[in-house]
Amino acid sequence: MLEHDFVDICEGWTMSRFRLVTLDVTNTLLKISGSPGHQYAAVASIYGVKAKVSDINTSFKYRYRQYSEKYPNFGSAVGMSSYKWWTDLVKDCFKSVADASVNSQVLPTTNQDETLTQIANHLYLHFSTAKAWEILPGAEDLLQSLKADGVMIGAISNFDGRLEKILSCLALRHYFDFVTASAKVGYEKPDRRIFEHALALSKIPASESVHIGDSYEKDYLGAVNVGMTGYLVHKGNEPLKNIDPKFVVQELGELPECLRVRTMSTEL
């Protein structure tokens, strides 16, 4: 095959082998604007609560890990609503910050519970809107490219029931043929059942499907374990073990060409 023939094939290639592409959402397509601490501090200030962003971030990381272990999958594993999961987490987050702030008054001296409930409710609604989120570079271009190639697109995300609304608010929902949020289906990645649920919705076999995400364990291994092709979005420079580098990208913009090359190498 001559070089110019190869170039012509590349330019006209579509992702025909892969009929389904699923994507993680948080930290793959979207990220929290600023940080949880920035968002929490801004809303709390409306109710007269002043706390340092760094203190809130520290408390949030601890409480998020604690709640995820004690009440998995945003509470759905233990019969708790995601609303209660998040609002209780917010309250505990601010209580921890207040307890650790020996030199300043974080919470009001009266009506603390009422104030925390107002903040928690406000934040739950706030994180359902576009204001709380940023679309990561290359995300919309990738979705547009996949749509133009005619593949089915799905979301598989460890997320609560607000996911579809958030994607709609960010004008991204129309790219997806289906959205699978872990709290709604009852399984979190890397549980194979959440991937199998998505494959069942698509009616496309795993061998013709790709999943893309930023977690080696939850996304890459979770997908590979059900027979899908996995791609890992990894922005670090350190080499990764136990994964072929051709399945690792640093930027979303690399993915359309990676998928085309993989398709071509399989079918030529």
Side-chain angles (χ1 to χ4, degrees), residues 56-122:
I56 297 174
N57 278 330
T58 298
S59 179
F60 176 83
K61 289 177 182 177
Y62 170 74
R63 291 298 182 185
Y64 187 90
R65 185 170 58 250
Q66 180 191 51
Y67 270 58
S68 295
E69 292 173 356
K70 191 173 182 180
Y71 315 110
N73 201 3
F74 306 100
S76 67
V78 294
M80 178 188 291
S81 70
S82 61
Y83 166 78
K84 179 171 176 54
W85 195 92
W86 277 111
T87 53
D88 284 358
L89 182 150
V90 167
K91 294 173 187 177
D92 283 345
C93 181
F94 279 103
K95 287 176 183 177
S96 294
V97 171
D99 290 343
S101 301
V102 293
N103 296 320
S104 60
Q105 182 71 37
V106 173
L107 297 176
T109 54
T110 59
N111 300 321
Q112 288 188 4
D113 289 342
E114 180 181 347
T115 299
L116 287 174
T117 297
Q118 290 175 323
I119 293 170
N121 287 338
H122 190 143

Short mmCIF file of all heavy atoms in Angstrom, two decimals, residues 56-122:
data_model
loop_
_atom_site.label_atom_id
_atom_site.label_comp_id
_atom_site.label_asym_id
_atom_site.label_seq_id
_atom_site.Cartn_x
_atom_site.Cartn_y
_atom_site.Cartn_z
N ILE A 56 -12.47 23.88 54.04
CA ILE A 56 -13.63 23.16 53.52
C ILE A 56 -13.18 22.00 52.63
O ILE A 56 -13.72 20.89 52.71
CB ILE A 56 -14.57 24.10 52.76
CG1 ILE A 56 -15.12 25.18 53.68
CG2 ILE A 56 -15.73 23.31 52.13
CD1 ILE A 56 -15.94 26.25 52.98
N ASN A 57 -12.19 22.26 51.77
CA ASN A 57 -11.70 21.19 50.89
C ASN A 57 -11.17 20.00 51.68
O ASN A 57 -11.43 18.85 51.34
CB ASN A 57 -10.62 21.73 49.95
CG ASN A 57 -11.19 22.44 48.74
OD1 ASN A 57 -12.28 22.12 48.27
ND2 ASN A 57 -10.47 23.42 48.23
N THR A 58 -10.43 20.29 52.73
CA THR A 58 -9.89 19.22 53.58
C THR A 58 -11.02 18.42 54.23
O THR A 58 -11.01 17.19 54.22
CB THR A 58 -8.97 19.80 54.66
OG1 THR A 58 -7.87 20.48 54.04
CG2 THR A 58 -8.44 18.71 55.58
N SER A 59 -11.99 19.14 54.76
CA SER A 59 -13.12 18.48 55.41
C SER A 59 -13.95 17.70 54.39
O SER A 59 -14.41 16.58 54.67
CB SER A 59 -14.00 19.52 56.12
OG SER A 59 -15.10 18.92 56.73
N PHE A 60 -14.14 18.28 53.21
CA PHE A 60 -14.93 17.62 52.18
C PHE A 60 -14.31 16.29 51.77
O PHE A 60 -15.01 15.28 51.64
CB PHE A 60 -15.08 18.53 50.96
CG PHE A 60 -15.81 17.87 49.82
CD1 PHE A 60 -17.19 17.84 49.78
CD2 PHE A 60 -15.09 17.24 48.79
CE1 PHE A 60 -17.87 17.21 48.74
CE2 PHE A 60 -15.77 16.62 47.75
CZ PHE A 60 -17.15 16.60 47.72
N LYS A 61 -13.01 16.27 51.55
CA LYS A 61 -12.34 15.03 51.14
C LYS A 61 -12.53 13.93 52.19
O LYS A 61 -12.80 12.78 51.85
CB LYS A 61 -10.85 15.29 50.92
CG LYS A 61 -10.54 16.11 49.68
CD LYS A 61 -9.06 16.40 49.56
CE LYS A 61 -8.77 17.26 48.36
NZ LYS A 61 -7.32 17.61 48.25
N TYR A 62 -12.40 14.31 53.44
CA TYR A 62 -12.57 13.34 54.52
C TYR A 62 -14.01 12.84 54.58
O TYR A 62 -14.27 11.63 54.63
CB TYR A 62 -12.18 13.96 55.86
CG TYR A 62 -12.55 13.10 57.04
CD1 TYR A 62 -11.82 11.95 57.35
CD2 TYR A 62 -13.65 13.42 57.84
CE1 TYR A 62 -12.17 11.14 58.42
CE2 TYR A 62 -14.01 12.62 58.92
CZ TYR A 62 -13.27 11.48 59.20
OH TYR A 62 -13.63 10.68 60.25
N ARG A 63 -14.98 13.77 54.56
CA ARG A 63 -16.39 13.39 54.68
C ARG A 63 -16.86 12.60 53.45
O ARG A 63 -17.65 11.66 53.58
CB ARG A 63 -17.26 14.63 54.88
CG ARG A 63 -17.06 15.32 56.22
CD ARG A 63 -17.45 14.41 57.37
NE ARG A 63 -17.31 15.08 58.66
CZ ARG A 63 -17.50 14.49 59.82
NH1 ARG A 63 -17.81 13.20 59.88
NH2 ARG A 63 -17.36 15.17 60.95
N TYR A 64 -16.38 12.98 52.27
CA TYR A 64 -16.79 12.26 51.06
C TYR A 64 -16.32 10.81 51.13
O TYR A 64 -17.08 9.88 50.82
CB TYR A 64 -16.22 12.94 49.82
CG TYR A 64 -16.73 12.34 48.53
CD1 TYR A 64 -17.88 12.83 47.92
CD2 TYR A 64 -16.07 11.27 47.92
CE1 TYR A 64 -18.36 12.28 46.74
CE2 TYR A 64 -16.55 10.70 46.75
CZ TYR A 64 -17.69 11.22 46.16
OH TYR A 64 -18.16 10.66 45.00
N ARG A 65 -15.09 10.61 51.54
CA ARG A 65 -14.56 9.25 51.68
C ARG A 65 -15.33 8.49 52.75
O ARG A 65 -15.70 7.32 52.56
CB ARG A 65 -13.07 9.31 52.01
CG ARG A 65 -12.39 7.94 52.07
CD ARG A 65 -10.90 8.08 52.16
NE ARG A 65 -10.47 8.86 53.31
CZ ARG A 65 -9.95 10.07 53.25
NH1 ARG A 65 -9.79 10.67 52.08
NH2 ARG A 65 -9.59 10.71 54.34
N GLN A 66 -15.60 9.15 53.87
CA GLN A 66 -16.33 8.52 54.97
C GLN A 66 -17.74 8.11 54.54
O GLN A 66 -18.17 6.97 54.78
CB GLN A 66 -16.41 9.48 56.15
CG GLN A 66 -17.16 8.94 57.36
CD GLN A 66 -17.45 10.02 58.39
OE1 GLN A 66 -17.98 11.08 58.06
NE2 GLN A 66 -17.07 9.75 59.64
N TYR A 67 -18.45 9.00 53.90
CA TYR A 67 -19.82 8.71 53.47
C TYR A 67 -19.84 7.63 52.38
O TYR A 67 -20.75 6.79 52.37
CB TYR A 67 -20.50 10.00 52.97
CG TYR A 67 -21.22 10.77 54.05
CD1 TYR A 67 -20.53 11.22 55.18
CD2 TYR A 67 -22.57 11.04 53.96
CE1 TYR A 67 -21.18 11.93 56.17
CE2 TYR A 67 -23.24 11.75 54.95
CZ TYR A 67 -22.54 12.19 56.06
OH TYR A 67 -23.20 12.87 57.05
N SER A 68 -18.86 7.66 51.49
CA SER A 68 -18.82 6.67 50.42
C SER A 68 -18.60 5.27 50.96
O SER A 68 -19.12 4.29 50.41
CB SER A 68 -17.71 7.02 49.41
OG SER A 68 -18.00 8.24 48.77
N GLU A 69 -17.84 5.17 52.04
CA GLU A 69 -17.59 3.87 52.66
C GLU A 69 -18.78 3.41 53.51
O GLU A 69 -19.16 2.24 53.49
CB GLU A 69 -16.32 3.93 53.52
CG GLU A 69 -15.05 4.11 52.71
CD GLU A 69 -13.82 4.34 53.58
OE1 GLU A 69 -13.99 4.44 54.82
OE2 GLU A 69 -12.71 4.43 53.04
N LYS A 70 -19.37 4.35 54.24
CA LYS A 70 -20.45 3.99 55.16
C LYS A 70 -21.80 3.85 54.45
O LYS A 70 -22.61 2.97 54.79
CB LYS A 70 -20.55 5.07 56.25
CG LYS A 70 -21.45 4.67 57.42
CD LYS A 70 -21.36 5.71 58.53
CE LYS A 70 -22.21 5.30 59.73
NZ LYS A 70 -22.13 6.32 60.83
N TYR A 71 -22.03 4.72 53.46
CA TYR A 71 -23.30 4.71 52.72
C TYR A 71 -22.99 4.69 51.22
O TYR A 71 -23.12 5.70 50.54
CB TYR A 71 -24.13 5.96 53.05
CG TYR A 71 -24.19 6.31 54.51
CD1 TYR A 71 -23.55 7.45 55.01
CD2 TYR A 71 -24.91 5.52 55.41
CE1 TYR A 71 -23.62 7.79 56.35
CE2 TYR A 71 -24.98 5.85 56.75
CZ TYR A 71 -24.32 6.98 57.22
OH TYR A 71 -24.39 7.31 58.55
N PRO A 72 -22.59 3.54 50.68
CA PRO A 72 -22.09 3.49 49.29
C PRO A 72 -23.11 3.96 48.25
O PRO A 72 -24.31 3.93 48.48
CB PRO A 72 -21.75 2.01 49.10
CG PRO A 72 -21.57 1.46 50.49
CD PRO A 72 -22.52 2.23 51.35
N ASN A 73 -22.54 4.37 47.12
CA ASN A 73 -23.34 4.74 45.95
C ASN A 73 -24.35 5.83 46.28
O ASN A 73 -25.53 5.73 45.95
CB ASN A 73 -24.03 3.51 45.35
CG ASN A 73 -24.43 3.71 43.90
OD1 ASN A 73 -24.15 4.74 43.31
ND2 ASN A 73 -25.09 2.71 43.35
N PHE A 74 -23.85 6.88 46.96
CA PHE A 74 -24.66 8.04 47.31
C PHE A 74 -25.90 7.65 48.12
O PHE A 74 -26.97 8.25 47.99
CB PHE A 74 -25.06 8.82 46.04
CG PHE A 74 -23.87 9.19 45.20
CD1 PHE A 74 -23.55 8.44 44.08
CD2 PHE A 74 -23.05 10.24 45.56
CE1 PHE A 74 -22.43 8.75 43.32
CE2 PHE A 74 -21.93 10.57 44.81
CZ PHE A 74 -21.62 9.81 43.69
N GLY A 75 -25.70 6.61 48.95
CA GLY A 75 -26.75 6.17 49.86
C GLY A 75 -27.68 5.10 49.32
O GLY A 75 -28.40 4.46 50.08
N SER A 76 -27.69 4.89 48.00
CA SER A 76 -28.66 3.96 47.42
C SER A 76 -28.44 2.53 47.90
O SER A 76 -29.38 1.74 47.98
CB SER A 76 -28.60 4.01 45.89
OG SER A 76 -27.38 3.50 45.41
N ALA A 77 -27.20 2.18 48.27
CA ALA A 77 -26.90 0.82 48.73
C ALA A 77 -27.52 0.53 50.09
O ALA A 77 -27.67 -0.64 50.47
CB ALA A 77 -25.39 0.61 48.78
N VAL A 78 -27.88 1.57 50.84
CA VAL A 78 -28.44 1.37 52.18
C VAL A 78 -29.84 1.99 52.30
O VAL A 78 -30.33 2.23 53.40
CB VAL A 78 -27.51 1.95 53.27
CG1 VAL A 78 -26.20 1.17 53.32
CG2 VAL A 78 -27.24 3.44 53.05
N GLY A 79 -30.47 2.28 51.16
CA GLY A 79 -31.82 2.83 51.19
C GLY A 79 -31.90 4.30 51.54
O GLY A 79 -32.97 4.80 51.90
N MET A 80 -30.79 5.02 51.42
CA MET A 80 -30.77 6.46 51.71
C MET A 80 -30.88 7.24 50.40
O MET A 80 -30.28 6.87 49.40
CB MET A 80 -29.45 6.82 52.41
CG MET A 80 -29.28 8.31 52.72
SD MET A 80 -27.60 8.71 53.32
CE MET A 80 -27.62 7.92 54.93
N SER A 81 -31.65 8.30 50.39
CA SER A 81 -31.76 9.12 49.18
C SER A 81 -30.47 9.91 48.97
O SER A 81 -29.75 10.24 49.92
CB SER A 81 -32.93 10.09 49.28
OG SER A 81 -32.66 11.10 50.24
N SER A 82 -30.16 10.20 47.72
CA SER A 82 -28.96 11.00 47.44
C SER A 82 -29.10 12.42 48.01
O SER A 82 -28.10 13.04 48.40
CB SER A 82 -28.68 11.06 45.94
OG SER A 82 -29.76 11.66 45.25
N TYR A 83 -30.34 12.90 48.10
CA TYR A 83 -30.56 14.21 48.71
C TYR A 83 -30.11 14.19 50.17
O TYR A 83 -29.37 15.09 50.62
CB TYR A 83 -32.05 14.59 48.63
CG TYR A 83 -32.43 15.75 49.52
CD1 TYR A 83 -32.13 17.06 49.15
CD2 TYR A 83 -33.06 15.52 50.75
CE1 TYR A 83 -32.46 18.12 49.99
CE2 TYR A 83 -33.39 16.57 51.58
CZ TYR A 83 -33.10 17.87 51.20
OH TYR A 83 -33.41 18.92 52.03
N LYS A 84 -30.52 13.18 50.93
CA LYS A 84 -30.11 13.09 52.33
C LYS A 84 -28.60 12.86 52.42
O LYS A 84 -27.93 13.44 53.30
CB LYS A 84 -30.86 11.96 53.04
CG LYS A 84 -30.46 11.80 54.52
CD LYS A 84 -31.36 10.84 55.26
CE LYS A 84 -30.90 10.61 56.70
NZ LYS A 84 -30.74 11.86 57.46
N TRP A 85 -28.06 12.02 51.54
CA TRP A 85 -26.63 11.74 51.54
C TRP A 85 -25.83 13.04 51.42
O TRP A 85 -24.92 13.31 52.20
CB TRP A 85 -26.31 10.81 50.37
CG TRP A 85 -24.97 10.14 50.39
CD1 TRP A 85 -24.69 8.91 50.92
CD2 TRP A 85 -23.74 10.62 49.84
NE1 TRP A 85 -23.36 8.60 50.72
CE2 TRP A 85 -22.75 9.63 50.06
CE3 TRP A 85 -23.37 11.79 49.17
CZ2 TRP A 85 -21.43 9.78 49.65
CZ3 TRP A 85 -22.05 11.95 48.76
CH2 TRP A 85 -21.10 10.94 49.00
N TRP A 86 -26.20 13.85 50.44
CA TRP A 86 -25.44 15.07 50.18
C TRP A 86 -25.69 16.14 51.24
O TRP A 86 -24.76 16.83 51.68
CB TRP A 86 -25.77 15.62 48.80
CG TRP A 86 -25.00 14.97 47.69
CD1 TRP A 86 -25.48 14.15 46.71
CD2 TRP A 86 -23.60 15.09 47.45
NE1 TRP A 86 -24.47 13.74 45.88
CE2 TRP A 86 -23.30 14.30 46.31
CE3 TRP A 86 -22.56 15.77 48.08
CZ2 TRP A 86 -22.01 14.19 45.78
CZ3 TRP A 86 -21.28 15.67 47.58
CH2 TRP A 86 -21.02 14.89 46.44
N THR A 87 -26.94 16.32 51.65
CA THR A 87 -27.21 17.39 52.61
C THR A 87 -26.60 17.06 53.97
O THR A 87 -26.09 17.96 54.66
CB THR A 87 -28.72 17.66 52.74
OG1 THR A 87 -29.42 16.44 53.01
CG2 THR A 87 -29.26 18.30 51.47
N ASP A 88 -26.64 15.80 54.39
CA ASP A 88 -25.98 15.42 55.64
C ASP A 88 -24.47 15.59 55.54
O ASP A 88 -23.82 16.04 56.49
CB ASP A 88 -26.30 13.96 56.00
CG ASP A 88 -27.70 13.79 56.56
OD1 ASP A 88 -28.42 14.81 56.71
OD2 ASP A 88 -28.09 12.64 56.85
N LEU A 89 -23.91 15.24 54.37
CA LEU A 89 -22.46 15.42 54.18
C LEU A 89 -22.08 16.89 54.31
O LEU A 89 -21.08 17.24 54.96
CB LEU A 89 -22.05 14.87 52.81
CG LEU A 89 -20.55 14.92 52.44
CD1 LEU A 89 -20.20 13.77 51.50
CD2 LEU A 89 -20.16 16.24 51.78
N VAL A 90 -22.85 17.76 53.68
CA VAL A 90 -22.57 19.20 53.74
C VAL A 90 -22.59 19.69 55.18
O VAL A 90 -21.69 20.42 55.64
CB VAL A 90 -23.58 19.99 52.89
CG1 VAL A 90 -23.48 21.49 53.20
CG2 VAL A 90 -23.34 19.74 51.41
N LYS A 91 -23.61 19.30 55.93
CA LYS A 91 -23.71 19.72 57.32
C LYS A 91 -22.51 19.24 58.14
O LYS A 91 -21.92 20.02 58.91
CB LYS A 91 -25.01 19.21 57.94
CG LYS A 91 -26.27 19.81 57.35
CD LYS A 91 -27.52 19.10 57.89
CE LYS A 91 -28.77 19.54 57.20
NZ LYS A 91 -29.98 18.82 57.69
N ASP A 92 -22.16 17.97 57.97
CA ASP A 92 -21.01 17.43 58.71
C ASP A 92 -19.71 18.10 58.28
O ASP A 92 -18.80 18.28 59.10
CB ASP A 92 -20.91 15.92 58.50
CG ASP A 92 -21.93 15.15 59.33
OD1 ASP A 92 -22.51 15.75 60.26
OD2 ASP A 92 -22.15 13.95 59.05
N CYS A 93 -19.62 18.45 57.02
CA CYS A 93 -18.43 19.13 56.51
C CYS A 93 -18.23 20.46 57.23
O CYS A 93 -17.13 20.75 57.72
CB CYS A 93 -18.58 19.35 55.00
SG CYS A 93 -17.18 20.15 54.22
N PHE A 94 -19.28 21.25 57.32
CA PHE A 94 -19.16 22.56 57.99
C PHE A 94 -18.98 22.41 59.50
O PHE A 94 -18.28 23.21 60.13
CB PHE A 94 -20.36 23.43 57.67
CG PHE A 94 -20.26 24.12 56.34
CD1 PHE A 94 -20.96 23.66 55.24
CD2 PHE A 94 -19.44 25.23 56.17
CE1 PHE A 94 -20.86 24.27 54.01
CE2 PHE A 94 -19.33 25.86 54.94
CZ PHE A 94 -20.04 25.38 53.85
N LYS A 95 -19.60 21.40 60.08
CA LYS A 95 -19.40 21.17 61.52
C LYS A 95 -17.93 20.84 61.81
O LYS A 95 -17.37 21.30 62.82
CB LYS A 95 -20.30 20.03 62.00
CG LYS A 95 -21.78 20.40 62.10
CD LYS A 95 -22.62 19.19 62.49
CE LYS A 95 -24.11 19.53 62.53
NZ LYS A 95 -24.94 18.34 62.85
N SER A 96 -17.32 20.04 60.95
CA SER A 96 -15.91 19.70 61.13
C SER A 96 -15.02 20.93 61.02
O SER A 96 -14.07 21.10 61.79
CB SER A 96 -15.47 18.66 60.09
OG SER A 96 -16.13 17.43 60.28
N VAL A 97 -15.34 21.79 60.05
CA VAL A 97 -14.57 23.03 59.89
C VAL A 97 -14.73 23.90 61.12
O VAL A 97 -13.74 24.47 61.64
CB VAL A 97 -15.02 23.79 58.62
CG1 VAL A 97 -14.38 25.18 58.57
CG2 VAL A 97 -14.67 23.00 57.37
N ALA A 98 -15.95 24.00 61.63
CA ALA A 98 -16.19 24.82 62.81
C ALA A 98 -15.47 24.27 64.04
O ALA A 98 -14.88 25.04 64.82
CB ALA A 98 -17.70 24.89 63.09
N ASP A 99 -15.48 22.96 64.20
CA ASP A 99 -14.82 22.34 65.35
C ASP A 99 -13.30 22.56 65.31
O ASP A 99 -12.66 22.66 66.36
CB ASP A 99 -15.11 20.84 65.39
CG ASP A 99 -16.55 20.54 65.75
OD1 ASP A 99 -17.23 21.43 66.27
OD2 ASP A 99 -17.00 19.40 65.48
N ALA A 100 -12.76 22.64 64.11
CA ALA A 100 -11.30 22.78 63.97
C ALA A 100 -10.86 24.24 64.00
O ALA A 100 -9.65 24.51 64.12
CB ALA A 100 -10.85 22.14 62.67
N SER A 101 -11.80 25.17 63.92
CA SER A 101 -11.46 26.60 63.86
C SER A 101 -11.50 27.20 65.26
O SER A 101 -12.51 27.79 65.68
CB SER A 101 -12.43 27.34 62.92
OG SER A 101 -12.37 26.79 61.62
N VAL A 102 -10.41 27.06 65.99
CA VAL A 102 -10.38 27.50 67.39
C VAL A 102 -10.27 29.01 67.52
O VAL A 102 -10.65 29.59 68.54
CB VAL A 102 -9.21 26.82 68.14
CG1 VAL A 102 -9.45 25.32 68.25
CG2 VAL A 102 -7.88 27.10 67.45
N ASN A 103 -9.75 29.67 66.48
CA ASN A 103 -9.51 31.10 66.58
C ASN A 103 -10.55 31.95 65.85
O ASN A 103 -10.40 33.18 65.77
CB ASN A 103 -8.12 31.46 66.03
CG ASN A 103 -7.01 30.82 66.85
OD1 ASN A 103 -7.09 30.77 68.07
ND2 ASN A 103 -5.98 30.32 66.18
N SER A 104 -11.57 31.33 65.30
CA SER A 104 -12.59 32.11 64.59
C SER A 104 -13.95 31.43 64.74
O SER A 104 -14.03 30.22 64.93
CB SER A 104 -12.23 32.26 63.11
OG SER A 104 -12.14 30.99 62.48
N GLN A 105 -14.98 32.24 64.63
CA GLN A 105 -16.35 31.74 64.73
C GLN A 105 -16.86 31.45 63.32
O GLN A 105 -17.06 32.37 62.52
CB GLN A 105 -17.25 32.79 65.41
CG GLN A 105 -18.68 32.35 65.61
CD GLN A 105 -18.82 31.29 66.69
OE1 GLN A 105 -18.12 31.30 67.70
NE2 GLN A 105 -19.72 30.34 66.46
N VAL A 106 -17.05 30.20 63.00
CA VAL A 106 -17.50 29.82 61.66
C VAL A 106 -19.02 29.83 61.59
O VAL A 106 -19.62 30.47 60.72
CB VAL A 106 -16.95 28.44 61.26
CG1 VAL A 106 -17.56 27.98 59.93
CG2 VAL A 106 -15.43 28.48 61.17
N LEU A 107 -19.66 29.12 62.49
CA LEU A 107 -21.12 29.01 62.48
C LEU A 107 -21.73 30.05 63.42
O LEU A 107 -21.10 30.48 64.39
CB LEU A 107 -21.54 27.60 62.91
CG LEU A 107 -21.08 26.45 62.02
CD1 LEU A 107 -21.50 25.12 62.62
CD2 LEU A 107 -21.65 26.60 60.61
N PRO A 108 -22.96 30.46 63.16
CA PRO A 108 -23.62 31.42 64.07
C PRO A 108 -23.82 30.79 65.45
O PRO A 108 -23.90 29.57 65.59
CB PRO A 108 -24.96 31.71 63.37
CG PRO A 108 -25.19 30.52 62.51
CD PRO A 108 -23.84 30.07 62.05
N THR A 109 -23.92 31.62 66.44
CA THR A 109 -24.07 31.12 67.81
C THR A 109 -25.48 30.58 68.07
O THR A 109 -25.68 29.79 68.99
CB THR A 109 -23.75 32.23 68.83
OG1 THR A 109 -24.58 33.37 68.54
CG2 THR A 109 -22.29 32.63 68.74
N THR A 110 -26.44 31.01 67.25
CA THR A 110 -27.82 30.51 67.40
C THR A 110 -28.32 29.97 66.05
O THR A 110 -27.81 30.33 64.99
CB THR A 110 -28.77 31.63 67.86
OG1 THR A 110 -28.74 32.70 66.91
CG2 THR A 110 -28.34 32.16 69.23
N ASN A 111 -29.31 29.10 66.12
CA ASN A 111 -29.95 28.55 64.92
C ASN A 111 -28.95 27.88 63.97
O ASN A 111 -29.07 27.99 62.73
CB ASN A 111 -30.72 29.63 64.17
CG ASN A 111 -31.83 30.25 65.01
OD1 ASN A 111 -32.51 29.55 65.76
ND2 ASN A 111 -31.99 31.55 64.90
N GLN A 112 -27.98 27.19 64.53
CA GLN A 112 -26.97 26.55 63.69
C GLN A 112 -27.57 25.49 62.77
O GLN A 112 -27.24 25.42 61.58
CB GLN A 112 -25.87 25.93 64.56
CG GLN A 112 -24.96 26.94 65.21
CD GLN A 112 -23.78 26.27 65.91
OE1 GLN A 112 -23.62 25.05 65.85
NE2 GLN A 112 -22.96 27.06 66.59
N ASP A 113 -28.44 24.67 63.32
CA ASP A 113 -29.03 23.59 62.52
C ASP A 113 -29.85 24.16 61.36
O ASP A 113 -29.79 23.65 60.23
CB ASP A 113 -29.92 22.70 63.39
CG ASP A 113 -29.12 21.84 64.34
OD1 ASP A 113 -27.90 21.67 64.11
OD2 ASP A 113 -29.70 21.35 65.33
N GLU A 114 -30.59 25.22 61.63
CA GLU A 114 -31.40 25.84 60.57
C GLU A 114 -30.50 26.43 59.48
O GLU A 114 -30.77 26.27 58.28
CB GLU A 114 -32.28 26.94 61.17
CG GLU A 114 -33.16 27.64 60.14
CD GLU A 114 -34.00 28.75 60.76
OE1 GLU A 114 -34.08 28.82 62.00
OE2 GLU A 114 -34.58 29.54 59.99
N THR A 115 -29.43 27.08 59.90
CA THR A 115 -28.49 27.67 58.93
C THR A 115 -27.83 26.60 58.09
O THR A 115 -27.73 26.72 56.86
CB THR A 115 -27.41 28.48 59.67
OG1 THR A 115 -28.03 29.54 60.41
CG2 THR A 115 -26.41 29.08 58.68
N LEU A 116 -27.40 25.51 58.71
CA LEU A 116 -26.76 24.42 57.97
C LEU A 116 -27.73 23.76 57.00
O LEU A 116 -27.34 23.37 55.88
CB LEU A 116 -26.18 23.39 58.94
CG LEU A 116 -24.93 23.82 59.70
CD1 LEU A 116 -24.55 22.78 60.75
CD2 LEU A 116 -23.76 24.06 58.75
N THR A 117 -28.98 23.64 57.40
CA THR A 117 -29.99 23.07 56.50
C THR A 117 -30.20 23.96 55.29
O THR A 117 -30.31 23.47 54.15
CB THR A 117 -31.32 22.87 57.25
OG1 THR A 117 -31.12 21.93 58.31
CG2 THR A 117 -32.41 22.36 56.30
N GLN A 118 -30.23 25.27 55.50
CA GLN A 118 -30.38 26.20 54.38
C GLN A 118 -29.20 26.10 53.41
O GLN A 118 -29.39 26.08 52.18
CB GLN A 118 -30.51 27.64 54.91
CG GLN A 118 -31.81 27.92 55.64
CD GLN A 118 -31.85 29.31 56.24
OE1 GLN A 118 -30.84 29.81 56.74
NE2 GLN A 118 -33.02 29.94 56.21
N ILE A 119 -28.00 26.04 53.97
CA ILE A 119 -26.79 25.93 53.13
C ILE A 119 -26.81 24.62 52.35
O ILE A 119 -26.53 24.59 51.14
CB ILE A 119 -25.52 26.02 54.00
CG1 ILE A 119 -25.39 27.41 54.61
CG2 ILE A 119 -24.27 25.69 53.17
CD1 ILE A 119 -24.30 27.52 55.66
N ALA A 120 -27.14 23.53 53.04
CA ALA A 120 -27.13 22.22 52.40
C ALA A 120 -28.16 22.14 51.27
O ALA A 120 -27.88 21.62 50.19
CB ALA A 120 -27.39 21.14 53.44
N ASN A 121 -29.36 22.65 51.51
CA ASN A 121 -30.40 22.65 50.48
C ASN A 121 -30.00 23.50 49.28
O ASN A 121 -30.22 23.12 48.13
CB ASN A 121 -31.73 23.16 51.05
CG ASN A 121 -32.38 22.16 51.98
OD1 ASN A 121 -32.11 20.97 51.93
ND2 ASN A 121 -33.25 22.64 52.86
N HIS A 122 -29.42 24.66 49.58
CA HIS A 122 -28.97 25.56 48.52
C HIS A 122 -27.91 24.87 47.65
O HIS A 122 -27.98 24.91 46.42
CB HIS A 122 -28.41 26.84 49.14
CG HIS A 122 -28.14 27.93 48.15
ND1 HIS A 122 -28.37 29.26 48.43
CD2 HIS A 122 -27.64 27.91 46.89
CE1 HIS A 122 -28.03 30.00 47.39
NE2 HIS A 122 -27.58 29.19 46.44
#
